[in-house]
Amino acid sequence: MPMAKRGVYLGVDVGSVSTNLVLLDHETDDILAKLYLRTNGAPIHALAQGMRQLREAGEWDVFGVGATGSGRQLAAAIIGADVVKNEITAHAVAALKHNPQAATVIEIGGQDSKIILIRNGVVSDFAMNTICAAGTGSFLDQQAARLGISVQDFGDIALQSRNPVRIAGRCTVFAESDMIHKQQLGHSVADILAGLCQAMVRNYLSGVAKGKRIEPPVLFQGGVAANSGIRYALEAALGLEVEVPPYFDAMGAVGAAVLAKESRFSSAGSGTRFAGFAVGESLLSSTSWECSGCPNHCEIVQINRDGRPLACWGSRCANPMPRTAE
Amino acid sequence: MKITFPHMGSIYIPGEAFLQELGHEVVVPPLATQRTLELGCKHAPEVACLPLKVMIGGFLEALALGADTVLMIGGTGPCRLGYYAEVQRQILEELGTGLDILVLEQPFENPRRITQDVRRLLNRKGIKALPRALRVAWEKLKACEALEETALAVRPRERHRGLARLALAEALGNLRQADTIRTIQRAVQDGQAALWEVADPHKEAMLHIAVVGEIYTVLEPFVNLQLEERLGQLGVEVIRTISVVQWVKDHVIKGSVGLYKTTRLERSAAGYLRGCIGGHGLETVARTNDLGKQGVDGVVQILPFTCMPEVVAQAILPAVSQDLDLPILSLVVDEHTGEAGFQTRLEAFVDLISRREGTCAHG
């Protein structure tokens, strides 16, 4: 006898480094499936792979879809989303699902980092890194690779340090040359990594979190939260306990799924726009060109499924239809 | 003399009319695009603020269209813009463009030069054409602002995304063609009617957000990444706090005879800032405080990277925000501003306000 299909909400977060998908149970609000895939510069490919993997993981009846992340528009076009939300709202919603009392969310992802302050269950203030990506996941990835260690071991090695060295962390270029300098002086890898963790935390607190009142409970989310060295340095600098929620690396997707559920209840009766898991099997491609309709020269992108256009964006001017490629 | 001048929002419409009435041939630079910015960044100092870069780019594009003279404003004070005419003169000279710069500034700062420059501006039809030129330009300036204010109200209510943009562009186009006081007034009436035509009478704006900040970044849509339109499409009715009409009344008419006083602004900013710090720094703090007390839902401050007066105001705004429990978002723009991050911040800000007001709106 075939198993009854589980009613779920699909949350998708297409970020710079990872593409995450989660399925939220309609009845229990549990997370039934979670995928953390590397975007590898090809978000369309990552999305298709995610859809195939989810289909293999069970029988699902998708009630609604939420998309977030810097690639939210793309995700919404390809899989058909009912809710398209910015990362800040999605992360805050997910944090509140995990801990309704949460007051501060620290999120450090692949290329951006943010702080979200929550008071009485609503976002009261937020900030994102503005001019530079220093202190985000990509830099840690790169430094781990340079030192020949796996990024998964980074945190544990840093925690072995007794005597962290001081690294200039204002800018990744200087941080790297300072790390090399310290390494040539003979400091141990553990001390250098622990020093880098402290430098990154200093940089985050004086840059992104500048002037913000950090109150407990503090949640630490995003891919970098896997790094116990960074978490330890954060706790030491703040003098507060910092909690890492179980789905820390997919909180954006969790938030998107929760928002999809909320929206289904606020707009009762309307069905989902979900395109079906079969999207994973179809031929997805994108074409892009520079529109020559006016001096704006907008870069137009068109997404195609099996050769037919799904969506098109990039136009900034008054021309309702961008001129097609020559 | 083929004369050109910098863009700032729709000011090219009254600017062009004024110079044409004086009998000049006018070259309006093409509306600023990425290419303008690239040209400007190539030739302007890296540390200069965004307005200078976009203006230089615009002058070079106007040069390619045959302009030989630039009309620029100048002044003294803590904002760097007052000195930009001189910087531009030097850059344009070093590039060997042959572009000449005429500078309009308050008469007592450099009486000899202003007399010289004004004489060149008036040399064709002379002083006789001046009253009418001023009148036409003034009417057109007021007309532009009236149309744009209507667009601010219409955008959150438009039937389909982008209709207000098209209606405004057409209305401004008609206004630009109008050449008598009567046709100008007609263009405003027709334009406003056409704008309301694209609004859905059943739609209400969800939120009211005031935009404060540096005048050029507030008014020039290319530089502020169409801030007003982005907010409008998120269901927000924008309250513009910067008006060129007001600026002309205060700084040109009253200011040139020493009658302009900042007492009222200082009273509004009391407790936060005690005097003029150049640019629109005092205005930013004063208006944020005023509008916050009047119950606006939020305030967006926009400034070019390294803008001194606005940086001072930016440091003061968190205190205003806390005292009034008023959400404030500061946005800094320069040539490296990414569109994705900009949009994300705006969406998150609008979400923040609507969630706390309990008017949840998803999707």
Side-chain angles (χ1 to χ4, degrees):
Chain A
M1 198 181 98
M3 234 172 46
K5 283 185 177 180
R6 297 285 287 268
V8 292
Y9 297 93
L10 170 62
V12 186
D13 179 355
V14 180
S16 56
V17 172
S18 70
T19 296
N20 311 322
L21 298 95
V22 299
L23 292 175
L24 176 87
D25 192 340
H26 170 62
E27 311 262 318
T28 61
D29 272 357
D30 288 334
I31 303 297
L32 299 177
K34 185 205 94 175
L35 295 177
Y36 179 93
L37 306 166
R38 289 259 166 182
T39 306
N40 285 336
I44 298 181
H45 181 77
L47 276 168
Q49 187 195 339
M51 298 302 272
R52 286 195 297 272
Q53 288 189 17
L54 284 179
R55 177 148 82 169
E56 282 158 21
E59 293 274 312
W60 317 109
D61 187 3
V62 177
F63 288 175
V65 181
T68 186
S70 46
R72 57 187 180 272
Q73 250 193 331
L74 183 73
I78 290 177
I79 55 175
D82 305 302
V83 177
V84 184
K85 271 288 163 187
N86 61 82
E87 306 90 288
I88 291 165
T89 306
H91 273 278
V93 165
L96 287 165
K97 173 185 183 298
H98 171 72
N99 181 353
Q101 257 66 53
T104 307
V105 178
I106 291 173
E107 200 268 344
I108 306 183
Q111 285 198 343
D112 65 313
S113 48
K114 25 184 141 17
I115 182 163
I116 309 170
L117 303 187
I118 302 175
R119 299 291 178 263
N120 308 318
V122 276
V123 176
S124 72
D125 196 6
F126 64 87
M128 286 169 79
N129 57 339
T130 43
I131 24 183
C132 129
T136 54
S138 299
F139 179 59
L140 292 180
D141 258 3
Q142 189 192 330
Q143 290 312 309
R146 196 179 62 81
L147 293 169
I149 57 171
S150 140
V151 76
Q152 279 81 13
D153 301 331
F154 189 121
D156 294 329
I157 297 175
L159 286 181
Q160 288 162 14
S161 160
R162 294 259 173 88
N163 213 355
V165 294
R166 194 172 170 90
I167 305 280
R170 178 64 66 200
C171 154
T172 52
V173 177
F174 296 139
E176 177 163 345
S177 51
D178 204 27
M179 281 170 69
I180 293 174
H181 170 66
K182 295 285 159 46
Q183 144 205 328
Q184 312 298 51
L185 286 177
H187 289 283
S188 75
V189 170
D191 287 345
I192 293 175
L193 290 184
L196 180 63
C197 291
Q198 289 182 350
M200 276 189 50
V201 166
R202 260 200 316 275
N203 192 11
Y204 174 85
L205 293 178
S206 66
V208 181
K210 182 178 65 188
K212 308 273 182 239
R213 286 244 307 272
I214 297 181
E215 285 177 16
V218 182
L219 295 192
F220 183 19
Q221 337 189 128
V224 174
N227 189 319
S228 48
I230 298 279
R231 177 184 170 189
Y232 177 78
L234 258 177
E235 288 185 329
L238 292 173
L240 292 171
E241 195 194 329
V242 171
E243 187 189 353
V244 177
Y247 300 103
F248 64 89
D249 56 353
M251 289 300 264
V254 172
V258 173
L259 286 164
K261 185 175 174 182
E262 274 183 22
S263 96
R264 185 176 139 102
F265 284 105
S266 64
S267 57
S270 56
T272 175
R273 291 196 198 125
F274 183 48
F277 288 107
V279 159
E281 315 293 342
S282 46
L283 183 67
L284 295 166
S285 64
S286 71
T287 33
S288 62
W289 66 92
E290 205 177 85
C291 173
S292 53
C294 79
N296 270 342
H297 293 290
C298 300
E299 287 161 353
I300 309 292
V301 180
Q302 183 177 300
I303 309 295
N304 312 298
R305 179 179 177 184
D306 295 325
R308 281 194 310 275
L310 263 185
C312 183
W313 55 72
S315 171
R316 277 175 296 165
C317 56
N319 284 351
M321 273 308 292
R323 184 169 295 178
T324 45
E326 301 298 318
Chain B
M1 189 159 79
K2 279 187 167 182
I3 195 158
T4 188
F5 51 88
H7 267 300
M8 182 170 83
S10 54
I11 206 167
Y12 68 93
I13 294 174
E16 178 190 43
F18 177 68
L19 293 169
Q20 277 173 347
E21 290 290 332
L22 290 181
H24 296 292
E25 207 176 324
V26 185
V27 180
V28 175
L31 291 178
T33 63
Q34 204 53 39
R35 183 172 168 268
T36 319
L37 181 58
E38 277 162 22
L39 263 176
C41 289
K42 193 170 154 195
H43 300 296
E46 158 74 24
V47 293
C49 66
L50 195 57
L52 178 79
K53 295 174 185 172
V54 180
M55 283 179 194
I56 289 280
F59 294 159
L60 293 174
E61 286 180 325
L63 174 74
L65 294 177
D68 56 25
T69 309
V70 171
L71 181 64
M72 184 57 196
I73 54 162
T76 54
C79 169
R80 288 184 278 181
L81 189 95
Y83 197 62
Y84 277 170
E86 293 311 316
V87 179
Q88 287 161 351
R89 189 195 304 278
Q90 218 167 65
I91 292 172
L92 294 175
E93 207 177 278
E94 277 168 17
L95 287 174
T97 57
L99 274 173
D100 209 1
I101 292 209
L102 303 180
V103 188
L104 290 183
E105 51 194 348
Q106 294 193 351
F108 303 117
E109 283 171 359
N110 189 343
R112 186 136 49 104
R113 193 178 64 188
I114 185 109
T115 325
Q116 221 175 53
D117 287 358
V118 167
R119 200 170 285 154
R120 285 190 55 196
L121 264 185
L122 297 182
N123 74 347
R124 289 281 295 273
K125 287 191 182 172
I127 206 106
K128 267 184 288 176
L130 188 61
R132 185 183 148 80
L134 284 172
R135 175 92 204 276
V136 169
W138 182 242
E139 288 300 323
K140 282 202 169 185
L141 180 62
K142 287 197 294 189
C144 286
E145 290 200 347
L147 287 171
E148 283 167 356
E149 299 241 320
T150 307
L152 295 181
V154 166
R155 272 192 204 108
R157 299 171 172 90
E158 62 184 348
R159 291 174 207 269
H160 299 290
R161 174 173 282 215
L163 283 182
R165 175 203 290 181
L166 292 174
L168 178 64
E170 201 183 322
L172 289 175
N174 292 337
L175 174 63
R176 191 175 169 187
Q177 301 301 324
D179 51 6
T180 62
I181 304 297
R182 178 172 296 179
T183 48
I184 292 171
Q185 283 163 350
R186 167 74 53 80
V188 176
Q189 281 165 8
D190 293 353
Q192 285 179 322
L195 273 161
W196 281 114
E197 197 93 322
V198 305
D200 180 342
H202 304 295
K203 263 194 199 165
E204 266 310 307
M206 283 192 336
L207 301 169
H208 290 80
I209 292 181
V211 173
V212 300
E214 189 275 328
I215 183 167
Y216 183 80
T217 34
V218 170
L219 294 179
E220 175 54 50
F222 169 71
V223 165
N224 64 31
L225 287 90
Q226 286 91 28
L227 173 67
E228 289 177 346
E229 189 169 302
R230 281 174 198 267
L231 284 171
Q233 290 177 346
L234 292 171
V236 172
E237 185 165 337
V238 172
I239 301 165
R240 225 195 232 186
T241 63
I242 299 263
S243 143
V244 181
V245 171
Q246 197 58 42
W247 184 85
V248 171
K249 281 185 187 163
D250 289 346
H251 293 268
V252 180
I253 302 175
K254 292 186 192 164
S256 58
V257 288
L259 277 178
Y260 176 61
K261 296 276 184 292
T262 54
T263 336
R264 241 177 100 183
L265 287 169
E266 279 173 49
R267 210 177 298 142
S268 295
Y272 301 107
L273 186 59
R274 213 180 290 156
C276 191
I277 50 167
H280 282 72
L282 178 63
E283 278 90 336
T284 294
V285 175
R287 291 192 180 129
T288 302
N289 198 20
D290 280 350
L291 287 160
K293 283 179 182 155
Q294 286 163 24
V296 74
D297 297 307
V299 173
V300 172
Q301 182 205 17
I302 185 154
L303 58 142
F305 187 52
T306 71
C307 170
M308 194 280 286
E310 292 297 329
V311 166
V312 176
Q314 189 188 4
I316 295 172
L317 289 183
V320 185
S321 165
Q322 199 169 18
D323 293 348
L324 298 180
D325 192 23
L326 172 71
I328 299 178
L329 177 70
S330 290
L331 294 167
V332 185
V333 288
D334 73 355
E335 63 269 35
H336 305 297
T337 304
E339 221 177 297
F342 194 83
Q343 180 71 18
T344 297
R345 283 174 179 79
L346 289 178
E347 284 179 20
F349 187 64
V350 171
D351 266 3
L352 175 167
I353 299 174
S354 42
R355 287 194 153 239
R356 66 183 227 148
E357 314 233 323
T359 54
C360 278
H362 297 299

